Amino acid sequence: MSLSEELERRLQAALAPQSLEVWDESKDHVGHTGAPKGAGHFHVLIVSELFAQKSRLARHRLVYDAVTDLMPHRVHALSIQALTPSESP
């Protein structure tokens, strides 16, 4: 299982999203301090009802809680868009 697939599996299980997209952006970060080969850079767009009535910080904490043991070694950087269904594009 790829790391992208692992992130997706964990977020599905923890947050029951209506929609979830995970992009591996590692190739765009080659030479980055802490991950010189660029590995471990991801962007997540997740839409879940569980984010309703939660601040942006609380939403991000929910996402990080689902993948915390992967950071900082396997996942070096995680960019998060956490939305409710009514905020979804």
Side-chain angles (χ1 to χ4, degrees):
M1 175 182 311
S2 73
L3 188 49
S4 293
E5 291 168 332
E6 177 69 10
L7 285 168
E8 187 171 331
R9 184 188 67 77
R10 288 179 181 215
L11 294 171
Q12 286 281 353
L15 300 171
Q18 289 185 349
S19 104
L20 173 63
E21 295 180 52
V22 177
W23 293 276
D24 184 344
E25 297 180 332
S26 298
K27 66 178 175 34
D28 298 330
H29 297 276
V30 173
H32 197 214
T33 302
K37 295 181 181 177
H41 287 77
F42 294 89
H43 179 83
V44 172
L45 171 58
I46 183 167
V47 178
S48 175
E49 192 61 48
L50 295 176
F51 298 140
Q53 306 301 314
K54 291 191 174 41
S55 69
R56 181 177 178 195
L57 179 60
R59 294 173 186 197
H60 284 218
R61 282 185 180 145
L62 288 171
V63 171
Y64 283 123
D65 286 348
V67 299
T68 192
D69 64 308
L70 298 176
M71 299 180 78
H73 303 292
R74 293 184 67 203
V75 175
H76 174 72
L78 186 61
S79 170
I80 302 168
Q81 285 180 275
L83 307 172
T84 65
S86 66
E87 298 168 332
S88 174

